[in-house]
């Protein structure tokens, strides 16, 4: 596999590394137990968002867990709860919280695990034993910027505007919006919006700009007035991609990325489980 720019990455993915997750897993095992319950369910099922390292996907593969995307998070959590009493969800707390709330869980069932604090930061570790969703203290730096105030300003500036946001936004922002969903959802909503309508979007600016250019008969704009692109993701831009493809055409593999055999095998297990889940 080739990465057109080795400095590209994901700040959210960097918020959970394998050492931290394994340490968390060990501590949760002491709190919640490690043996299946009377119904044969796992005590905890690990679920990692696609925006995570191969090592974390492999961790899920080894421990009866699974990978999710923002499109299939609901279906993946249903899969996980059919097999376990609790879910450890990483690295994005907001996608986990927003999806769980939409499934009818309450906030008191969703404690956050802070990997930089003893016992995850809980004054009473038993909160994790009582939990349904244990949320990792991670977030997307871009989606963290969107606020309820921005939504209110958009509604004042464009009466009748439809506000749609990505589920990596905070719970308050998701609750204040008219709709929330994955990138595919956002694209579909704008495509289906009637001509002349206004749509305010809470997601990465490059997608918003592309959709605004694609649908000039609609007013499509980003909620955040201070444009904030994903600086790590956007390091792979067309020039780097063209450079990598030209080298491949010439038989020269640049910036080759390799994964060891054990990690690849276990990560594939978690990914295959995801592919077998139908949203």
């Amino acid at each position: 596999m080739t990465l057109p720019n080795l400095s590209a990455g994901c700040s959210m993915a960097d918020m959970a590394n394998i050492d931290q997750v394994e340490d968390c897993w060990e501590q949760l095992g002491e709190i919640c137990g490690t043996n299946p319950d009377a119904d044969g369910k796992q005590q905890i099922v690990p679920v990692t968002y696609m925006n995570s390292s191969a090592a974390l996907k492999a961790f899920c593969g080894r421990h009866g867990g699974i990978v999710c995307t923002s499109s299939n998070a609901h279906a993946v959590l249903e899969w996980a709860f059919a097999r376990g009493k609790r879910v450890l969800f990483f690295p994005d707390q907001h996608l986990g919280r927003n999806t769980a709330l939409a499934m009818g869980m309450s906030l008191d069932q969703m404690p956050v695990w802070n990997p930089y604090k003893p016992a995850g930061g809980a004054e009473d570790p038993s909160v994790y034993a009582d939990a349904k969703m244990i949320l990792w203290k991670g977030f997307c730096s871009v989606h963290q910027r969107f606020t309820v105030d921005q939504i209110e300003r958009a509604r004042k500036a464009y009466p009748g505007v439809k506000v749609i946001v990505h589920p990596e936004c905070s719970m308050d922002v998701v609750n204040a919006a008219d709709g929330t969903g994955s990138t595919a959802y956002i694209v579909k909503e704008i495509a289906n919006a009637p001509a002349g309508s206004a749509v305010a979007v809470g997601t990465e600016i490059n997608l918003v700009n592309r959709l605004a250019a694609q649908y000039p008969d609609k007013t499509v704009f980003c909620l955040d007035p201070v444009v904030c692109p994903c600086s790590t993701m956007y390091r792979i831009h067309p020039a780097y991609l063209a450079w990598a493809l030209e080298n491949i055409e010439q038989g020269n593999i640049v910036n080759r990325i390799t994964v060891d055999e054990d990690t690849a095998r276990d990560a594939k297990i978690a990914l295959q489980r995801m592919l077998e889940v139908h949203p």
Side-chain angles (χ1 to χ4, degrees):
M1 182 173 67
T2 292
L3 183 63
N5 185 338
L6 289 176
S7 67
C10 173
S11 59
M12 179 207 299
D14 293 340
M15 292 181 188
N17 63 52
I18 187 61
D19 291 337
Q20 292 172 324
V21 170
E22 287 180 339
D23 180 58
C24 168
W25 188 256
E26 183 178 341
Q27 292 185 63
L28 289 176
E30 294 172 359
I31 296 167
C32 305
T34 55
N35 295 323
D37 68 8
D39 297 323
K41 285 189 172 186
Q42 291 177 219
Q43 291 295 334
I44 309 172
V45 176
V47 177
T48 188
Y49 192 20
M50 185 63 78
N51 298 36
S52 61
S53 69
L56 296 195
K57 294 178 177 72
F59 176 90
C60 290
R62 289 193 300 273
H63 294 283
I66 190 170
V67 180
C68 80
T69 68
S70 55
S71 296
N72 66 16
H74 187 131
V76 164
L77 286 183
E78 288 182 338
W79 180 97
F81 283 116
R83 291 158 177 78
K85 293 179 66 176
R86 308 169 190 82
V87 164
L88 171 62
F89 190 94
F90 48 84
D92 180 40
Q93 62 175 306
H94 299 299
L95 176 62
R97 183 180 294 108
N98 289 323
T99 306
L101 285 169
M103 294 173 69
M105 282 174 252
S106 60
L107 286 175
D108 60 5
Q109 295 176 301
M110 302 181 219
V112 173
W113 182 275
N114 185 338
Y116 296 101
K117 292 187 175 181
E123 292 183 10
D124 180 2
S126 68
V127 297
Y128 301 117
D130 297 333
K132 289 286 287 179
M133 286 280 287
I134 301 170
L135 303 168
W136 194 266
K137 192 175 177 60
F139 57 87
C140 169
S141 56
V142 171
H143 290 95
Q144 190 88 337
R145 289 182 57 89
F146 299 113
T147 66
V148 174
D149 284 345
Q150 291 170 354
I151 292 176
E152 292 173 352
R153 286 198 294 270
R155 294 197 192 283
K156 288 179 181 177
Y158 296 89
V161 66
K162 184 169 187 178
V163 179
I164 54 177
V165 300
H166 195 279
E168 290 175 20
C169 294
S170 71
M171 175 186 68
D172 291 342
V173 168
V174 167
N175 289 344
D178 298 307
T180 181
S182 65
T183 299
Y185 161 85
I186 291 171
V187 171
K188 185 177 179 181
E189 283 291 307
I190 292 174
N192 293 337
S197 60
V199 185
V201 187
T203 196
E204 208 271 336
I205 188 63
N206 288 292
L207 173 65
V208 180
N209 285 344
R210 287 199 302 273
L211 291 169
Q214 187 176 352
Y215 298 100
D217 59 330
K218 305 163 191 178
T219 301
V220 179
F221 63 97
C222 185
L223 277 173
D224 188 357
V226 179
V227 174
C228 181
C230 179
S231 59
T232 50
M233 180 175 67
Y234 196 58
R235 287 171 187 165
I236 297 182
H237 56 68
Y240 282 110
L241 183 59
W243 170 74
L245 292 173
E246 287 166 358
N247 272 276
I248 291 172
E249 187 179 31
Q250 296 165 12
N252 178 31
I253 308 301
V254 294
N255 296 349
R256 185 189 294 270
I257 304 297
T258 59
V259 177
D260 68 84
E261 219 171 277
D262 291 344
T263 298
R265 180 195 63 238
D266 293 342
K268 185 178 179 180
I269 292 170
L271 287 163
Q272 188 60 45
R273 288 171 181 152
M274 181 190 75
L275 294 174
E276 291 169 357
V277 172
H278 300 288

